[in-house]
Amino acid sequence: MLEIFNTLTRRKEAFRPIEPGKVRMYVCGMTVYDYCHLGHARVMVVFDMVARWLRASGLALTYVRNITDIDDKIIRRAGENGEPIRALTDRFIAAMHEDADALGVQRPDAEPRATEYVPDMLAMIERLQTRGLAYEAGNQDVCFAVRKFDGYGRLSGKSLDDLRAGERVEVASGKHDPLDFVLWKHAKAEEPEDAKWSSPWGEGRPGWHIECSAMSSRLLGEHFDIHGGGQDLQFPHHENEIAQSEGAHGTTFANVWMHNGFVRVDDEKMSKSLGNFFTIRDVLKDYDAEVVRFFILRAHYRSPLNYADAMLDDARQSLTRLYTALKNVPPVDAAPDFDAPAGQRFARAMDDDFNTPEAVAVLFDLAGEVNRSGDAAVAGQLRALAGVLGLLARDPKAFLQGGAGEAADALAPAAIEALIAERQTAKKARDFARADAIRAELAGHGIVLEDGPGGTSWRRA
């Protein structure tokens, strides 16, 4: 049975859908004013993996990932560019889709834009006001009264006093309490007309938190199974979603909360201020997109992910080893066999809070078996199980000849090193026929091997 670590309860729990056989999942998506970065890549790939496994497990999934297409940064960027907000957001939504497609991320079942659900947000704010949980502040914003909602802070694990101690006091906001957050922002005179909507409280626009509450309840219902996003959203965004959603509807919002870990760069948190901020497009200039996906998936989704060139180089070599096994033994096309020993191990790993490192280890065991036995059926199982993770779907030759900076007919350095390592293993096992075959294969690509006391080196003929 699938077990998922629930951030809300801080433990792994058996996953039981609200409606047997069906799952409803909402994931917080991107704010579209710039190109997606590595943190976005991790969210997209992680929850794509989750969606794939839920479906592979026989569950009917409805997956919603929203788009935030109105907020302060978007308004500011559109103003700097001298363009309409919609033109800016359309452009970066298209870029986001290009990046996601490159990473093998399947489209969600629904991808709502915040600006299309403003009436739902207004209705939810009015309900909160009627229930005494929202009020109009002195600056004409509408705010949520945090201290009137019992249980605020249970997702982040902090008491109201702890949160208050770390909160920046907004002197002139007119809030009743510094912890209170904005549900509706009153329009400023200098803001463009395409950033304003009519409301009972005058012209303005929704606050960020109310957007996700309104979209998720509209598309998945007031109570659904899984809510996900990056660890950085746990507080205040997800905490506030719980408060306003449960405050408005009087029922549990989401049963399971999932958060993927931070992306770090050379062991420091990725940030623009540190100058270690990378867009997906930056990375894809130097690395194959499937290598980036593999790099993300071979780490557990809740652990920190350390980005460094050495890590990507290692991921490329590792993925090359898998593709090399398929190149040497063309696989039989088949569905994953979860009754076979390798399939059982793979399923146990994935059912253990989506333990992709262990699932990837199963793939390498299968690749080793393929290299030893030359069994096409085992190669087929390797490809089928990898396909559950969105990996190894390409023609092996196309991948192995497609290294960054290499000519189309040249073998990539990572592929050469992988074959040399395989040859060394074959020699140690006294499988000299296989070792000679690898030398001949490399020679066919114009690669000359030179064995010496320090190991094997290579050069292009």
Side-chain angles (χ1 to χ4, degrees), residues 171-184:
V171 179
S173 68
K175 288 182 179 182
H176 294 176
D177 188 298
L179 282 179
D180 295 348
F181 59 89
V182 175
L183 299 167
W184 185 259

Side-chain angles (χ1 to χ4, degrees), residues 233-300:
L233 300 183
Q234 184 175 338
F235 183 85
H237 184 53
H238 289 164
E239 193 80 71
N240 291 349
E241 277 192 73
I242 291 173
Q244 62 202 8
S245 298
E246 297 187 359
H249 300 135
T251 186
T252 299
F253 180 38
N255 282 359
V256 178
W257 286 83
M258 294 181 64
H259 294 93
N260 64 266
F262 289 117
V263 174
R264 301 173 65 81
V265 178
D266 293 326
D267 289 319
E268 290 188 299
K269 185 179 176 183
M270 185 178 71
S271 72
K272 289 183 178 178
S273 62
L274 291 174
N276 63 357
F277 186 86
F278 295 96
T279 68
I280 295 172
R281 294 178 176 224
D282 290 334
V283 179
L284 296 187
K285 290 175 183 176
D286 297 315
Y287 293 96
D288 181 274
E290 190 175 356
V291 170
V292 178
R293 182 182 180 93
F294 179 79
F295 164 70
I296 292 170
L297 289 178
R298 71 174 184 174
H300 192 275

